[in-house]
Amino acid sequence: MSDSKIEDAVARFLIDQFTTFLERQRMAIQHVGKEYVTGMEAYARLVALIRQALDRAGIPIPYR
């Protein structure tokens, strides 16, 4: 993230560090387009199918 509106060096450093952390955790906030909702619905269906397959195969799903 590079927002030239922020001139304070410490604030800029903290923002850069935080956004880099989010990106490394695959939690980066990026522009979301209209495909997001459709993609999330498809993802939820995929997860449900995988869970169903694991249940039918008798494979336990570990929870943290």
Side-chain angles (χ1 to χ4, degrees), residues 52-63:
Q52 208 173 51
L54 291 172
D55 286 344
R56 288 182 182 175
I59 301 170
I61 302 171
Y63 294 98

Side-chain angles (χ1 to χ4, degrees), residues 22-23 27-32:
L22 291 176
E23 288 170 356
M27 297 171 50
I29 300 171
Q30 303 291 333
H31 172 76
V32 175

Side-chain angles (χ1 to χ4, degrees), residues 8-39:
D8 183 272
V10 173
R12 175 80 265 143
F13 173 79
L14 292 173
I15 290 168
D16 288 342
Q17 291 294 306
F18 184 62
T19 54
T20 298
F21 167 78
L22 291 176
E23 288 170 356
R24 287 184 181 154
Q25 298 300 312
R26 300 183 74 151
M27 297 171 50
I29 300 171
Q30 303 291 333
H31 172 76
V32 175
K34 62 183 178 182
E35 301 84 16
Y36 177 79
V37 173
T38 304

